[in-house]
Amino acid sequence: MTDPVSQSNSRNGLVLSLRGISKSFGAVSALTKIDLDVHAGEVVALVGDNGAGKSTLVKILAGVHLPDSGTITFCGEIVVLDDPAASLRLGIATVFQDLALCENLDVVANIFLGRELDPWRLDEVAMEIRAWTLLNELSARIPSVREPVASLSGGQRQTVAIARSLLLEPKLILLDEPTAALGVAQTAEVLDLIERVRDRGLAVVMISHNMEDVRAVADRIVVLRLGRNNGIFHPDASNQELVSAITGASNNAVSRRAERRQGSREHSGEPRP
Amino acid sequence: MQHDLVKAADPGHAAISDVAENKEQTFAARVFASQPFWVTIALIALVVIMAINEPSFGTVENAANVTRNFAPIGIMAMGMTVVIITGGIDLSVGSVMGLVAIVAGLFLTWHYPWYLAFAMGMIAGIACGAVNGFFVAYVGMPSFVVTLGMLSIARSLAVVFSANQMLYQFGPDAPIVRAIGQAKWPLRAPAGWAPQWMPELSSHFWVMVGLALIVGYVFNSKAWGRHLFAIGGNEQAARLTGVPVDWIKFQAYVFSAFTASLASLLLLGYNGSAINAMGQGYELRVIAATVIGGANLMGGAGTAFGAFIGSAFLEVIRNALLMAGIDSNWQGAFVGAFIILAVLLGMQTGGKAIVAAILERLLPKKHR
């Protein structure tokens, strides 16, 4: 197992550092002694099988759950994230898998929901300008910010959700399955968007099931398995390695299938540099 | 859709909607896709046809009557719209009216001043709304169940407090109470300046118009209004973005009870008496008016203008049937048919979906 952490450490400031995070729900322990480092200007992909604890970890960072033990260090200070507002205040923005958009409201209203400019006399003009600025910075392709979100495509909705999370100028942005349920072109669009967010100097943590997407955009891949750390990989790690780490066995359903199809040059044999 | 109110209720504001919407879907397209627009067209058509065919319908007296009759429903429809936008429903408004009338009536019979009596009635009504709001917003019970319970409780309290008697011996302030409920403006000669063709509109009507303007303004220009729509659209999303969902839902039920109290006090003044049966069955008329006006029972959609036009439409149908000499027992059938028709027209993209579906039936693609 390689350890690419040291490389990226030198490059940028450490934004988030988890040490020994554990969380159990009743008798089920969802996370056991998780360590995770995220730096500014870096995309960290969090991968793992169903039930590996990815979503629990994101919810801990979003302030939805409190960890049972362990420390969260954010920008050099030990913090307690005891509710979603606390996370937001610190600069941790979360884009949940279901996006949490109101389909009946337009793009501007969604972006500013809960933090409208001038709540006593909504400043629609200023909000619309700010919304366009945000979307333009992300080079997002949204036909109109005055259309209800219901009329947007999945990729555009993801864009709106990400733009909203950037409104409070966070330092860290958590994306839960940003490319699930998207078509090929829309996925590419969202991956571009993630890169642009990273290039603005933000730290990005992204959960995904899709190895292609993860490898396309992540700087480091952190594998969780059964609630424990199970390796940190470069994006150029072979599929074989990743799948073994995720499933915990070198002889697994995926590799057996790969062998059977004799597609080893395409599926598992990517040479390491 | 919520932009329609401003246009209709205050002609001076039409420019705002025009400017705000000019970028994308044209203003006209937006209007054509809105249910209140089609209901307004239907209402105008109905009024024109009736005025031509039935001389007694087009009189200023009848206009004053109709506008007064639908005003209490319209006032409550404002509150109901607020509740329905959040995805809830308030079945208790009719019973709250009865309770408010009896409480205010009792204080008047005990010779308290009118403002104290009105305040006590208002407090009783708002207390009902607060109980509704508490159980729906903070306990998380279904609004249908909570307000159904309140429908029964408030009516029962009204009967108990009134000892099942009609209250009409109102003491020294009775003339003031009646003046409030029976006030008209503008007055025609000899008392006032208004020309003969102008109807003398009741205080009920003006209260409704004022309330509609306020509600429409709040829907369009206040974060509170925006949050109502957000809660109806996706309550979980609203919660995650920090909208005080429970508090706003609570306020919605209190506001609905407030509008019921307002309507009740105006009717109390108009009748000069209080009966515990006041408002019986009104909840369904209010909900019907709100739904005809384009509010979506699933939440997330509704306008103050829609509430206004919906209640006007219901009353004009009722009045028109009466004037046309049709057996009043047919009213229910007509009103029910119009509820279904209005919602059908308002489905998805306003009339467009229905028109498209009809075209598809009449002219299948292969023939076009």
Side-chain angles (χ1 to χ4, degrees):
Chain A
M1 201 182 298
T2 52
D3 184 23
V5 179
S6 47
Q7 282 176 278
S8 39
N9 245 345
S10 54
R11 206 177 43 185
N12 274 307
L14 192 64
V15 173
L16 177 79
S17 175
L18 303 185
R19 287 292 173 267
I21 294 289
S22 299
K23 173 74 185 174
S24 50
F25 298 101
V28 184
S29 54
L31 295 174
T32 316
K33 297 213 165 108
I34 294 289
D35 295 342
L36 177 71
D37 288 314
V38 189
H39 305 84
E42 179 187 42
V43 177
V44 173
L46 212 51
V47 299
D49 226 336
N50 292 336
K54 308 179 301 274
S55 292
T56 310
L57 190 56
V58 164
K59 280 181 179 155
I60 284 175
L61 292 174
V64 178
H65 296 321
L66 263 179
D68 299 333
S69 63
T71 57
I72 303 173
T73 313
F74 190 73
C75 296
E77 281 176 34
I78 292 182
V79 293
V80 179
L81 306 171
D82 48 5
D83 74 315
S87 285
L88 276 177
R89 263 199 307 279
L90 282 171
I92 301 176
T94 313
V95 180
F96 288 101
Q97 189 172 3
D98 49 13
L99 297 184
L101 297 176
C102 293
E103 304 216 333
N104 57 333
L105 299 182
D106 62 26
V107 174
V108 176
N110 266 292
I111 288 180
F112 282 90
L113 186 59
R115 28 186 184 270
E116 287 83 359
L117 300 179
D118 206 350
W120 285 98
R121 200 173 190 298
L122 293 178
D123 193 344
E124 293 288 351
V125 175
M127 287 199 286
E128 190 167 329
I129 292 171
R130 181 92 178 86
W132 273 122
T133 316
L134 261 178
L135 293 169
N136 285 339
E137 280 171 12
L138 296 171
S139 315
R141 271 187 258 142
I142 301 280
S144 152
V145 291
R146 285 297 178 194
E147 287 293 307
V149 166
S151 67
L152 299 183
S153 73
Q156 289 167 338
R157 289 179 199 203
Q158 191 73 47
T159 306
V160 172
I162 291 174
R164 174 167 71 187
S165 71
L166 294 178
L167 185 66
L168 292 183
E169 304 192 335
K171 298 189 182 71
L172 171 70
I173 165 165
L174 308 169
L175 304 170
D176 191 356
E177 294 276 4
T179 56
L182 292 189
V184 178
Q186 294 177 353
T187 299
E189 237 168 80
V190 169
L191 294 182
D192 282 349
L193 189 64
I194 293 171
E195 281 175 353
R196 284 194 285 271
V197 170
R198 172 186 61 194
D199 295 344
R200 285 167 58 131
L202 271 74
V204 180
V205 174
M206 160 184 161
I207 288 185
S208 185
H209 269 111
N210 188 325
M211 289 304 133
E212 291 294 311
D213 298 349
V214 164
R215 261 200 280 218
V217 77
D219 298 310
R220 278 187 304 140
I221 301 171
V222 173
V223 178
L224 297 188
R225 180 172 139 70
L226 303 175
R228 292 170 188 272
N229 280 100
N230 203 25
I232 300 174
F233 293 86
H234 272 301
D236 49 20
S238 71
N239 221 17
Q240 182 87 49
E241 280 180 274
L242 277 176
V243 170
S244 310
I246 291 168
T247 57
S250 52
N251 181 20
N252 54 56
V254 181
S255 66
R256 280 196 300 274
R257 180 174 158 80
E259 278 165 26
R260 210 167 52 237
R261 291 180 56 122
Q262 299 193 329
S264 52
R265 61 203 137 75
E266 281 177 57
H267 291 277
S268 59
E270 251 185 82
R272 301 282 308 278
Chain B
M1 38 156 185
Q2 65 258 54
H3 308 279
D4 300 337
L5 167 95
V6 184
K7 170 206 63 158
D10 185 349
H13 278 179
I16 292 177
S17 353
D18 288 334
V19 172
E21 313 304 336
N22 61 2
K23 271 215 177 92
E24 289 83 24
Q25 212 185 55
T26 62
F27 184 62
R30 225 166 249 266
V31 167
F32 284 130
S34 81
Q35 186 173 329
F37 170 76
W38 294 107
V39 176
T40 310
I41 298 288
L43 177 63
I44 292 171
L46 185 61
V47 167
V48 168
I49 292 169
M50 280 306 293
I52 291 169
N53 292 323
E54 203 62 54
S56 57
F57 180 85
T59 60
V60 284
E61 281 73 24
N62 195 40
N65 261 332
V66 168
T67 51
R68 194 197 63 241
N69 281 341
F70 83 77
I73 300 291
I75 290 169
M76 286 190 281
M78 299 300 153
M80 188 66 76
T81 300
V82 168
V83 169
I84 284 180
I85 286 172
T86 67
I89 195 143
D90 188 350
L91 297 173
S92 68
V93 286
S95 296
V96 168
M97 280 182 83
L99 179 62
V100 169
I102 290 303
V103 169
L106 279 175
F107 276 87
L108 286 170
T109 29
W110 296 333
H111 290 210
Y112 282 98
W114 69 272
Y115 48 85
L116 195 79
F118 275 26
M120 295 313 284
M122 203 52 110
I123 288 170
I126 286 176
C128 293
V131 171
N132 283 340
F134 173 77
F135 281 104
V136 173
Y138 292 103
V139 182
M141 291 175 69
S143 54
F144 190 96
V145 175
V146 174
T147 57
L148 186 64
M150 183 54 72
L151 174 146
S152 187
I153 293 169
R155 183 68 66 197
S156 165
L157 288 179
V159 174
V160 171
F161 290 167
S162 64
N164 218 1
Q165 299 288 311
M166 179 173 163
L167 308 173
Y168 57 93
Q169 289 165 318
F170 278 171
D173 277 0
I176 302 177
V177 172
R178 218 170 292 129
I180 292 170
Q182 297 177 354
K184 287 175 183 177
W185 187 87
L187 291 174
R188 287 200 295 272
W193 50 268
Q196 286 304 312
W197 52 266
M198 201 180 267
E200 296 181 317
L201 297 167
S202 71
S203 56
H204 305 201
F205 178 78
W206 291 113
V207 168
M208 176 188 62
V209 169
L211 198 65
L213 287 174
I214 294 169
V215 171
Y217 174 72
V218 168
F219 282 175
N220 286 296
S221 309
K222 293 259 188 272
W224 190 82
R226 184 64 46 82
H227 292 167
L228 281 178
F229 287 91
I231 291 169
N234 187 343
E235 187 172 327
Q236 196 55 35
R239 221 178 272 279
L240 282 174
T241 51
V243 171
V245 171
D246 296 338
W247 175 229
I248 289 177
K249 278 170 87 176
F250 175 82
Q251 288 171 310
Y253 289 89
V254 170
F255 180 68
S256 176
F258 164 77
T259 57
S261 311
L262 206 57
S264 170
L265 293 175
L266 286 169
L267 275 180
L268 169 76
Y270 182 76
N271 297 332
S273 64
I275 52 169
N276 55 38
M278 184 197 274
Q280 210 147 38
Y282 272 35
E283 54 280 337
L284 294 183
R285 288 171 65 182
V286 172
I287 293 167
T290 313
V291 168
I292 287 177
N296 185 342
L297 285 174
M298 305 301 286
T303 62
F305 175 65
F308 167 86
I309 209 74
S311 34
F313 191 65
L314 271 188
E315 175 61 21
V316 170
I317 290 179
R318 201 191 65 83
N319 185 273
L321 292 175
L322 209 69
M323 292 284 171
I326 295 169
D327 184 351
S328 64
N329 293 328
W330 277 101
Q331 269 178 32
F334 276 91
V335 168
F338 273 108
I339 293 174
I340 295 172
L341 190 68
V343 174
L344 195 65
L345 277 175
M347 273 167 75
Q348 295 162 38
T349 52
K352 270 188 276 177
I354 299 300
V355 174
I358 291 169
L359 275 178
E360 189 62 32
R361 276 289 158 79
L362 297 178
L363 296 162
K365 278 220 168 74
K366 54 188 173 192
H367 297 302
R368 269 192 272 178

